[in-house]
Amino acid sequence: MKIVDNTALRQVEEEERLRPIRELQEKAALAKKKEAEEKALIVSVPCDWRIHGELEPLTKAIWDFEVNELRKGYLKAAIKNRKSLEQLVVEPFETESYTISVKYDQETINVLKKESSNLGLSVDEYARYILYTTALKENTERKEKLKQEEEKKEALRKFDFNGQINHELRKKLTDKFHDPIEERKEFGFWIDASKSYGEFLVAVANEYFGIKNKDTN
């Protein structure tokens, strides 16, 4: 009687049976690795109400998809110009309302990793503080500019004078400057005597208070 050893045959059969499973596992592992590599290239910034409050005036649009693109664009610009910031402002940020995600190349990610590591931050934290500080700075400058424009507008605001000027004051103003009523008689009705007296009073007030070279319009 002879012995028939099927061990090797069964091993081959087992290998054949397991081959599709192993191929699927390898594909899954490769896909997972690729996903991890892709994820590592993405900078994600969680935005709470505080960041949204600074970002919203700078990324207004009609449609939601436009707002999302504007937010991404603003984050990219902020990161690109991060060297212009003198400091990073950190606040006690709260639960996120939404997240802004931007994909970069490996070289840029490496640079951001190095810079963030020097500050003891993760790349996402670094990007978050850059975004908030940039938006805060721009809004502060914008508000200051608007304030200056309003102050300038207020400084140049014109107030019409509708009061009465008695004879004695009118004579003193006429002696100091000239007589607009006589001018009106001479040159015609286009001379506004009331306006002239108002300008005289402003000139006297400026002289009294030592205000020079000021636009009174």
Side-chain angles (χ1 to χ4, degrees):
M1 180 182 294
K2 66 177 182 178
I3 297 175
V4 178
D5 189 352
N6 289 329
T7 302
L9 178 61
R10 298 295 174 251
Q11 287 177 344
V12 172
E13 291 176 347
E14 184 65 11
E15 286 294 325
E16 289 297 321
R17 186 183 70 82
L18 294 176
R19 182 181 297 173
I21 298 174
R22 287 173 180 168
E23 288 177 352
L24 288 175
Q25 290 174 337
E26 289 175 357
K27 288 181 180 179
L30 287 173
K32 188 174 182 180
K33 181 182 178 182
K34 186 177 181 181
E35 182 182 353
E37 291 174 348
E38 291 287 329
K39 189 176 180 181
L41 298 176
I42 296 176
V43 174
S44 296
V45 175
C47 300
D48 68 346
W49 63 269
R50 199 186 304 271
I51 296 178
H52 174 74
E54 297 298 336
L55 200 57
E56 194 271 338
L58 306 172
T59 55
K60 286 184 176 180
I62 298 175
W63 306 107
D64 288 343
F65 77 90
E66 292 179 309
V67 173
N68 292 333
E69 290 303 313
L70 286 173
R71 288 170 180 168
K72 288 181 181 180
Y74 195 89
L75 175 58
K76 285 182 179 179
I79 291 176
K80 180 180 179 181
N81 299 311
R82 63 191 181 281
K83 296 298 183 181
S84 65
L85 299 175
E86 297 179 358
Q87 59 186 10
L88 291 180
V89 179
V90 179
E91 295 284 355
F93 297 114
E94 300 177 14
T95 304
E96 65 181 272
S97 301
Y98 53 85
T99 299
I100 306 174
S101 298
V102 175
K103 185 177 180 180
Y104 284 96
D105 57 77
Q106 188 62 59
E107 182 179 356
T108 303
I109 290 295
N110 290 340
V111 172
L112 293 176
K113 279 183 177 179
K114 183 177 179 181
E115 293 178 4
S116 60
S117 179
N118 290 336
L119 296 172
L121 303 170
S122 68
V123 173
D124 288 349
E125 288 174 327
Y126 186 41
R128 191 183 204 187
Y129 302 153
I130 289 172
L131 175 65
Y132 177 70
T133 304
T134 301
L136 178 65
K137 179 174 179 286
E138 186 172 347
N139 277 318
T140 301
E141 292 173 350
R142 182 175 59 86
K143 290 174 183 176
E144 182 60 31
K145 184 178 179 180
L146 288 174
K147 181 181 177 183
Q148 291 176 359
E149 290 176 353
E150 285 298 320
E151 289 176 349
K152 183 178 180 180
K153 189 184 296 183
E154 182 64 27
L156 298 177
R157 192 183 301 277
K158 179 180 178 180
F159 295 93
D160 293 326
F161 176 76
N162 295 318
Q164 294 182 346
I165 300 177
N166 59 41
H167 177 74
E168 183 179 358
L169 178 56
R170 192 179 74 185
K171 186 175 185 307
K172 288 184 179 295
L173 291 173
T174 298
D175 292 342
K176 183 174 179 61
F177 298 99
H178 57 267
D179 191 339
I181 294 179
E182 292 299 322
E183 278 187 336
R184 180 167 179 165
K185 291 178 181 178
E186 183 177 352
F187 296 107
F189 288 99
W190 60 271
I191 297 293
D192 188 345
S194 297
K195 182 177 180 181
S196 297
Y197 281 118
E199 291 172 350
F200 295 163
L201 289 172
V202 171
V204 171
N206 284 338
E207 182 181 339
Y208 177 82
F209 290 109
I211 301 174
K212 297 179 180 181
N213 299 322
K214 296 290 182 178
D215 190 345
T216 57
N217 293 325

